[in-house]
Amino acid sequence: SLCTTKGFEFPMRSCEVGVTDNRHAPIQVSFRSKSGSQRTLPVVLMRQVRTDHRQREIGGDEVKANFTVGYRLWGASIVLSKQLLELDGDAFKGKSILEIGAGLGLPGLLSSHPGFGANRVHLTDFNTRVIDNLKYNLCLNHSFWDQTIKGKATPETRAFALDWDKTFDQSTHNKYDIIIGSDLICQESDAYAVARLLDNLLKDDGVAYITLGGKESRYGM
């Protein structure tokens, strides 16, 4: 499948996810099948995080080096989304899906499309601005799909904080059938954190789809 993005004006319904602002209209991400395929692929809408929020939003000196990376769309998330579209048509049917380090949430938003038939889809990050934006993007897409897709229900969806560096309380989290993530490794410690998270949150028979940038990408990890 191929992918294109463009600016998109859409009559956005009210979504209570923080302070109202005048950011640009959402990006429309369109996927199209390879030549010869008759499969209709989803369209996903995404709003980016405002650039004037690129500031220290965590108190004191405990500011993560990768604090604002979730404010933009990275190539690895497009690659992962294309890979998910190439899976068997029933791969997500009835499944629980978790996106970690979601950022703008393209793979997770795509996974919540009614056509995939997932049971629940949860998008997570540690930055509160990113989480608010994820909630907005979920609302935006469900509103869009409600108008354009008939006869198929959207899964149960949530966006919430999940900080890999904090003490993990197994009792407060359910395990998932599928965990997805893209461009997660900004420093060596992230690799160990992701491994711990997969060990704690992925079911024994579950599967993880993780896409990372090359060594020339961003931080050189």
Side-chain angles (χ1 to χ4, degrees):
S1 59
L2 303 176
C3 174
T4 59
T5 64
K6 65 178 181 180
F8 185 70
E9 294 185 1
F10 180 74
M12 294 175 286
R13 296 180 182 176
S14 176
C15 301
E16 299 298 329
V17 292
V19 178
T20 301
D21 54 60
N22 298 315
R23 78 189 69 192
H24 295 299
I27 300 169
Q28 174 183 307
V29 182
S30 302
F31 297 91
R32 62 182 186 275
S33 301
K34 295 178 180 178
S35 179
S37 173
Q38 301 300 312
R39 185 182 179 191
T40 301
L41 299 180
V43 171
V44 176
L45 307 179
M46 292 189 310
R47 184 180 68 171
Q48 299 186 83
V49 178
R50 286 176 56 178
T51 56
D52 63 351
H53 287 153
R54 292 176 180 272
Q55 56 194 17
R56 292 164 66 110
E57 300 173 75
I58 298 178
D61 296 326
E62 297 182 8
V63 180
K64 296 174 183 288
N66 55 346
F67 187 70
T68 61
V69 295
Y71 287 15
R72 59 177 293 184
L73 180 65
W74 294 92
S77 66
I78 297 175
V79 172
L80 176 58
S81 298
K82 292 167 64 177
Q83 291 175 334
L84 296 178
L85 287 171
E86 293 172 1
L87 297 175
D88 180 88
D90 292 330
F92 287 178
K93 190 173 183 180
K95 303 291 187 179
S96 56
I97 303 169
L98 173 71
E99 182 175 13
I100 58 176
L104 297 187
L106 177 59
L109 293 169
L110 179 66
S111 301
S112 71
H113 188 276
F116 281 111
N119 179 49
R120 59 188 170 101
V121 179
H122 293 167
L123 283 63
T124 63
D125 207 283
F126 70 91
N127 183 325
T128 56
R129 289 289 184 192
V130 171
I131 295 166
D132 279 351
N133 198 60
L134 286 170
K135 291 176 181 178
Y136 186 95
N137 283 338
L138 283 168
C139 182
L140 176 65
N141 280 279
H142 291 180
S143 175
F144 178 52
W145 294 332
D146 285 346
Q147 297 178 47
T148 57
I149 301 172
K150 304 301 180 183
K152 292 184 178 181
T154 54
E156 181 262 308
T157 55
R158 288 178 57 207
F160 57 89
L162 183 61
D163 190 335
W164 315 337
D165 294 333
K166 292 185 177 179
T167 302
F168 188 84
D169 183 359
Q170 181 67 55
S171 65
T172 63
H173 293 276
N174 295 317
K175 291 198 171 187
Y176 295 83
D177 298 302
I178 299 171
I179 295 180
I180 58 177
S182 58
D183 225 342
L184 302 173
I185 311 301
C186 298
Q187 51 206 2
E188 186 175 355
S189 60
D190 291 340
Y192 294 103
V194 170
R196 288 193 303 271
L197 187 144
L198 294 178
D199 184 53
N200 283 303
L201 289 184
L202 188 63
K203 291 182 178 180
D204 291 341
D205 59 349
V207 60
Y209 299 99
I210 308 294
T211 303
L212 303 178
K215 63 181 181 181
E216 71 283 355
S217 172
R218 286 202 283 126
Y219 297 95
M221 295 300 297

